[in-house]
Amino acid sequence: MTDTAKPNDIAKGLEGVVFTESKLTFIDGAQGILTHLGIPIEEWAEKSTFEEVSYALLHTKLPSAAELAQFDAELRANREVPAKLLADVAAYPRTANPMQALRTAISELGLHDAQSEDTSDEARYAISVRLIAQFSTVIAAVARALGGQAAVAPRADLTHAANFLYMLTGKEPTTEQARLFDIALVLHADHGMNASTFTAIATASTLSDMYSCVVSAIGALKGPLHGGANEAVMGMLDEIGTPDKAEAYITAKLDNKEKIMGVGHRVYKNFDPRSRVLRDYAEHVASKEGKSNYYQILETIERIVVERMGSRGIYPNVDFYSGTVYADLGIKKEYFTPIFALARISGWCASVIEYTRDNRLLRPDALYSGATNQHYVELKDRK
């Protein structure tokens, strides 16, 4: 910062700082509104697919039927990854953090891409299509490798969501399972200037390559303050155990001013609209599969949190219910954050492409608060 800056001029966490324009995502946290290209997230979830959302974010427009079919065909054609990469993933330590493994694998994936160093708009787009397609293959391979299983080859006859579940489990999902997972991907595809998207843009602003931008984003998402909240929610549910213990558990947490996982959001001071969509699906799956314990616990937690904290703008967020949806699909909780990345790759790529079309190197200032008027002291004279 300049010499005239004062400590109260610092925007901690860059909160409230506007550094660019975007046509992708709008969020009104006070009203609980989230839109992509001006279209409410609820409509995307109800009527669209992850393939279409990905196209819309990359092109900033809805596709025609022909454009969507071509884009879908490109995704299906680019699902395979190099055999050498799969062999390397299979050799990762079984104790590796899945996000560590994903970060490493995507970095290596760039080594196999002859176009990886090309930072032109056209190359960034082509790489984005490949990354969206291949993220699912890499994540499924990581999950199977760390579990001691061989990778399952992708199938071009399945949708993006169905193909991932097939590669993850080795079994073709039902139409309902595939659609449920597709909706979860749609809800997580982009969310404005979150930490990982900002990190990708910061890297892109140096005119670095697309793979470096995405690996940077993965590193940011790995942090528990960004990704991983839905995994923590599942840990909380397991700790509570049964619905009859939920009220006492949450009341004690609130009385002791302890954090409730999946509750509260930096942006939203109302219900996260994505959580409303997932709540309905979580309820449906719980009743259909006879797995009502998790949902009943969450329902109790939500009621108490809203009663006691709603007036302060603290409500359940998207992570509150997403974990139960993933768990009901047979996905282990340690892979919830990689699946977050599986969805957010579209938003990361779209944001990098959008920002670098009118690029400016990101170079913020910091207010110096250290010592002044000091002089070097010879090593022999130091105490």
Side-chain angles (χ1 to χ4, degrees):
M1 284 187 178
T2 63
D3 293 339
T4 58
K6 298 179 177 62
N8 58 5
D9 294 327
I10 297 175
K12 287 289 187 179
L14 298 181
E15 188 164 359
V17 174
V18 177
F19 76 98
T20 190
E21 297 181 25
S22 177
K23 296 179 180 179
L24 303 179
T25 297
F26 170 76
I27 302 171
D28 184 333
Q31 299 298 317
I33 294 171
L34 168 63
T35 69
H36 298 323
L37 314 187
I39 302 169
I41 191 62
E42 294 88 345
E43 293 184 23
W44 287 108
E46 179 187 356
K47 301 176 181 180
S48 188
T49 63
F50 180 69
E51 291 90 331
E52 184 175 38
V53 170
S54 297
Y55 179 99
L57 291 171
L58 290 173
H59 292 269
T60 60
K61 74 180 187 73
L62 286 171
S64 67
E67 288 169 334
L68 181 57
Q70 180 180 348
F71 183 73
D72 182 36
E74 290 175 358
L75 290 178
R76 292 173 189 247
N78 280 285
R79 286 174 178 169
E80 293 187 2
V81 300
K84 176 63 167 62
L85 175 63
L86 292 177
D88 289 343
V89 168
Y92 288 171
R94 299 283 173 82
T95 56
N97 180 295
M99 287 296 285
Q100 257 186 326
L102 174 62
R103 183 189 64 209
T104 302
I106 296 302
S107 186
E108 181 181 349
L109 188 62
L111 299 177
H112 296 278
D113 190 337
Q115 206 175 14
S116 64
E117 289 298 299
D118 189 340
T119 58
S120 67
D121 197 58
E122 295 75 17
R124 287 197 188 278
Y125 175 79
I127 292 169
S128 296
V129 172
R130 291 195 288 274
L131 278 169
I132 293 169
Q134 293 171 346
F135 246 60
S136 60
T137 309
V138 171
I139 292 171
V142 164
R144 292 185 67 84
L146 297 187
Q149 298 175 297
V152 174
R155 281 173 48 179
D157 61 317
L158 297 175
T159 66
H160 191 80
N163 177 61
F164 174 76
L165 292 176
Y166 166 71
M167 290 189 296
L168 184 69
T169 65
K171 299 177 182 178
E172 185 174 338
T174 66
T175 301
E176 184 175 68
Q177 288 172 330
R179 178 56 183 152
L180 179 59
F181 188 64
D182 186 44
I183 290 168
L185 294 180
V186 167
L187 293 174
H188 286 84
D190 192 51
H191 200 244
M193 208 50 59
N194 54 85
S196 56
T197 299
F198 177 78
T199 301
I201 287 175
T203 302
S205 79
T206 71
L207 298 185
S208 190
D209 66 281
M210 189 60 117
Y211 286 93
S212 293
C213 297
V214 170
V215 170
S216 298
I218 294 170
L221 183 62
K222 182 178 180 292
L225 291 184
H226 186 12
N230 48 13
E231 181 179 344
V233 170
M234 295 306 295
M236 176 180 68
L237 298 183
D238 288 335
E239 186 178 345
I240 293 172
T242 56
D244 60 293
K245 298 177 181 177
E247 184 163 357
Y249 178 94
I250 294 304
T251 299
K253 287 273 189 185
L254 293 174
D255 289 345
N256 293 326
K257 298 186 177 354
E258 296 178 37
K259 182 174 178 59
I260 310 297
M261 299 311 300
V263 170
H265 195 281
R266 180 76 165 265
V267 174
Y268 294 109
K269 305 307 174 188
N270 204 319
F271 278 108
D272 181 337
R274 300 169 299 172
S275 73
R276 302 296 80 196
V277 175
L278 283 178
R279 181 180 66 174
D280 292 341
Y281 283 101
E283 181 180 20
H284 169 73
V285 171
S287 60
K288 181 176 181 180
E289 301 295 332
K291 300 176 181 177
S292 59
N293 267 13
Y294 279 161
Y295 182 77
Q296 288 176 15
I297 294 172
L298 289 171
E299 199 173 33
T300 299
I301 295 172
E302 179 180 317
R303 173 177 57 79
I304 296 171
V305 165
V306 171
E307 288 174 357
R308 293 188 50 170
M309 306 180 76
S311 61
R312 293 159 49 196
I314 299 176
Y315 295 85
N317 58 46
V318 68
D319 296 311
F320 191 71
Y321 284 104
S322 62
T324 60
V325 171
Y326 295 152
D328 285 331
L329 288 170
I331 299 169
K332 296 179 180 179
K333 63 183 179 182
E334 57 264 36
Y335 292 98
F336 291 176
T337 306
I339 286 171
F340 192 151
L342 172 62
R344 190 56 56 84
I345 180 61
S346 298
W348 290 339
C349 290
S351 293
V352 166
I353 290 172
E354 181 182 52
Y355 185 82
T356 52
R357 283 173 177 161
D358 186 25
N359 187 68
R360 183 171 176 79
L361 175 66
L362 288 175
R363 176 56 172 90
D365 292 325
L367 177 64
Y368 179 71
S369 58
T372 58
N373 300 319
Q374 301 294 301
H375 296 283
Y376 185 83
V377 178
E378 296 291 339
L379 184 60
K380 63 184 177 59
D381 296 328
R382 296 178 206 166
K383 296 180 181 179

